[in-house]
Amino acid sequence: MNAVGVEGVWKFYGDYPALRDVNLEAEPGACLALIGRNGAGKTTLLRTIAGFSRPGKGKISIFGNSPRDTEARKKMGYIGHGISVYDELSALENLTLYGRLYGLADPRKSAMEWLERTGLERVKNGLVREFSRGMRQRLAVARAFLHEPRVLLLDEPFTALDDRAIAVLQQVLREALASGKTIVMSTHQLREALELATHVALLNRGQVAFHGPCTPEMAADPGWVYARYGEG
Amino acid sequence: MGYARLGYARQVATIFTKDLRAELRTKEAINASLSFALVMLLLFSFAFDPSEETTREISGGLLWIVFAFAGTLLLNRSFARELGNDCLDALIAAPIPGSALFLGKALANFVLVMAVELIALPLFGIFYNVKWTSQFPQLMMVIVLGTWAMTVTGTIFSALTVNIRLREVMLPILNFPILIPALLGAMQLTSSLVAGKPITADNDAWLKMLIGFDVMYTAVSLVLVETVLVG
């Protein structure tokens, strides 16, 4: 069974089709990099896979379930453009909150483990509004990985990260892949993404222009896939 | 990976606690709402110089207009609070039903709006020189029912308008017309109770309508919230 399945998905904003008959799949343990120019539909596709909006046509499945099913949502972790943590709460309170929402057996213990892993244990009781940008980003990574999701949906995960946050993220993504988790990430930072990607999908005006394994040519020259299948 | 069985009540309680904690840390909305309620009570007391008898007659209308407008300031923040840092995405992605999210938020809003009302009520008595406590238990019951009506419709419209640029304007425009039957009932009953007249067979139709409104809009909101949030 595919970890993520996208079958004939269309998504309309008014009359405009942001996604046109998109077909993709990612097997367990795969890392699919969604690439494409601005406005190609990468974020729309990721948000639709995450269940934030329903497709106009077609079907999306996470391990065979609809993304809005509780079982599917337990298996998903999402990092979007925002950090999705509350400025008014402390780092520990934020992670404990999400641990409770995901029904973890011991939310506080899981929160402490991830604070340690992301180097935030010393500021666990500090309010997020007092955190630097890098600390907030690491907390966002901890929030997304807290419930050990089997499918990770990452929208531009490396954008605007500081060096330490990039290192933390790359490390946890490598560990996730090594443990058989599935990653779907949209990105403009091809070099960082292609280091991890096992598969690549190029979106062009809402359509899949290319979908296949990440080849040595792509890893050597991140612009290769654009030159060959993109608009140039 | 051990998932504990997270009961519905615990999910509601988690959202309720989070919303209250976040609001009480900043006190942004509750301070604005309370100040607004006090300023309105003060202004009305300067604008009119009614006798005690007249004040009792208009007390229901006056109080509920103040409560409704002050409450709107709190309700506006309910889902708007989730927009900062895209927290709404994380809540929608979490494995909890939309109805638990809605109920947790509605209960937190209810507590905050009630807190503003319970501070404003004694001040109303002082500013207008009215003894309003003679039917205290029944008055509290009406205030609880009216506040829940306001909260439940306000919370669902707060979810509906969260992505609209003019949401601060849109919420009262959408909410108040829907709320008219509940406000009308609460106003009529409050005027009687402040005047010292208990609820009897003559006016209990308003009470029944208020209860019916609460039950109906709570049920409708719980059913619709998932569609409102995800489409």
Side-chain angles (χ1 to χ4, degrees):
Chain A
M1 184 189 291
N2 284 325
V4 177
V6 179
E7 293 170 43
V9 164
W10 289 72
K11 176 77 189 170
F12 295 90
Y13 291 124
D15 290 336
Y16 177 74
L19 297 175
R20 307 169 195 221
D21 194 23
V22 172
N23 290 282
L24 288 173
E25 71 282 322
E27 292 172 358
C31 175
L32 173 63
L34 293 175
I35 61 172
R37 309 273 182 220
N38 286 337
K42 302 185 297 295
T43 295
T44 301
L45 178 57
L46 265 183
R47 291 181 64 80
T48 312
I49 293 173
F52 297 150
S53 65
R54 298 184 205 279
K57 277 193 241 172
K59 188 183 159 196
I60 289 175
S61 61
I62 305 290
F63 285 105
N65 294 315
S66 155
R68 292 308 299 159
D69 282 357
T70 306
E71 280 311 305
R73 283 191 268 168
K74 279 182 182 172
K75 292 175 184 145
M76 261 192 294
Y78 178 82
I79 297 183
H81 293 170
I83 56 173
S84 298
V85 288
Y86 294 91
D87 286 340
E88 307 86 2
L89 303 184
S90 73
L92 181 59
E93 285 170 344
N94 265 295
L95 294 190
T96 308
L97 163 73
Y98 284 109
R100 287 203 179 106
L101 293 179
Y102 277 88
L104 302 189
D106 190 344
R108 196 182 160 86
K109 188 177 164 213
S110 302
M112 286 305 296
E113 280 169 12
W114 273 97
L115 286 170
E116 205 171 307
R117 242 176 128 175
T118 49
L120 294 169
E121 73 277 18
R122 280 188 304 161
V123 288
K124 65 180 182 193
N125 293 319
L127 296 183
V128 172
R129 66 173 174 232
E130 293 160 0
F131 281 16
S132 70
R133 190 181 171 87
M135 289 157 74
R136 293 157 71 91
Q137 288 160 339
R138 277 183 278 146
L139 185 60
V141 172
R143 194 266 311 154
F145 285 80
L146 182 73
H147 59 290
E148 295 183 29
R150 290 171 64 189
V151 175
L152 289 153
L153 305 172
L154 314 173
D155 193 3
E156 304 283 355
F158 298 107
T159 302
L161 292 194
D162 66 9
D163 291 345
R164 191 168 174 193
I166 287 178
V168 167
L169 183 58
Q170 282 188 322
Q171 179 62 27
V172 292
L173 290 180
R174 281 201 186 91
E175 287 172 15
L177 283 175
S179 62
K181 287 169 181 152
T182 308
I183 299 172
V184 180
M185 71 167 112
S186 75
T187 187
H188 284 295
Q189 269 115 326
L190 296 181
R191 202 165 292 280
E192 282 91 349
L194 294 180
E195 275 181 31
L196 294 164
T198 58
H199 293 75
V200 172
L202 173 67
L203 284 180
N204 186 7
R205 294 181 186 171
Q207 287 181 306
V208 178
F210 169 78
H211 177 215
C214 185
T215 61
E217 292 96 327
M218 293 176 198
D221 175 12
W224 183 87
V225 70
Y226 276 106
R228 174 133 188 177
Y229 300 102
E231 292 171 280
Chain B
M1 182 74 250
Y3 280 109
R5 190 170 173 77
L6 186 64
Y8 189 82
R10 278 184 63 200
Q11 294 170 343
V12 172
T14 302
I15 298 294
F16 169 79
T17 311
K18 186 273 293 176
D19 266 23
L20 275 191
R21 185 175 283 164
E23 176 53 35
L24 295 177
R25 287 260 163 86
T26 61
K27 299 187 184 70
E28 280 173 2
I30 198 163
N31 280 349
S33 177
L34 192 55
S35 308
F36 185 77
L38 300 186
V39 167
M40 274 185 81
L41 283 173
L42 203 60
L43 282 177
F44 279 134
S45 75
F46 289 149
F48 312 110
D49 188 16
S51 64
E52 196 177 327
E53 184 66 24
T54 317
T55 302
R56 284 195 180 119
E57 281 171 20
I58 64 164
S59 60
L62 194 150
L63 274 172
W64 280 100
I65 285 172
V66 171
F67 291 169
F69 280 100
T72 299
L73 294 179
L74 279 163
L75 295 167
N76 249 325
R77 287 289 301 149
S78 181
F79 274 87
R81 176 180 293 123
E82 308 296 343
L83 290 181
N85 297 341
D86 289 346
C87 291
L88 189 56
D89 282 352
L91 289 183
I92 293 172
I96 61 167
S99 61
L101 173 61
F102 168 81
L103 211 50
K105 284 194 159 290
L107 287 168
N109 289 334
F110 175 78
V111 168
L112 292 168
V113 176
M114 277 298 293
V116 170
E117 291 172 357
L118 292 179
I119 295 172
L121 201 53
L123 292 172
F124 159 78
I126 294 167
F127 289 163
Y128 295 84
N129 195 25
V130 171
K131 190 174 179 298
W132 53 275
T133 49
S134 57
Q135 298 292 336
F136 186 73
Q138 288 195 352
L139 181 62
M140 280 300 105
M141 179 182 69
V142 169
I143 288 177
V144 165
L145 290 171
T147 305
W148 181 252
M150 212 159 69
T151 305
V152 81
T153 57
T155 306
I156 194 73
F157 281 121
S158 174
L160 191 67
T161 57
V162 68
N163 289 314
I164 297 174
R165 201 174 298 168
L166 290 174
R167 62 178 166 272
E168 288 85 0
V169 180
M170 288 308 292
L171 178 62
I173 288 174
L174 290 169
N175 193 23
F176 287 162
I178 297 283
L179 206 52
I180 285 172
L183 281 180
L184 210 56
M187 285 173 181
Q188 296 287 345
L189 292 168
T190 303
S191 291
S192 296
L193 293 166
V194 168
K197 298 173 200 158
I199 297 170
T200 59
D202 291 339
N203 59 0
D204 73 348
W206 291 113
L207 182 66
K208 286 174 187 164
M209 194 195 62
L210 203 49
I211 294 168
F213 185 99
D214 282 0
V215 171
M216 189 175 82
Y217 276 93
T218 304
V220 168
S221 300
L222 290 172
V223 170
L224 287 183
V225 68
E226 186 81 15
T227 308
V228 167
L229 289 172
V230 181

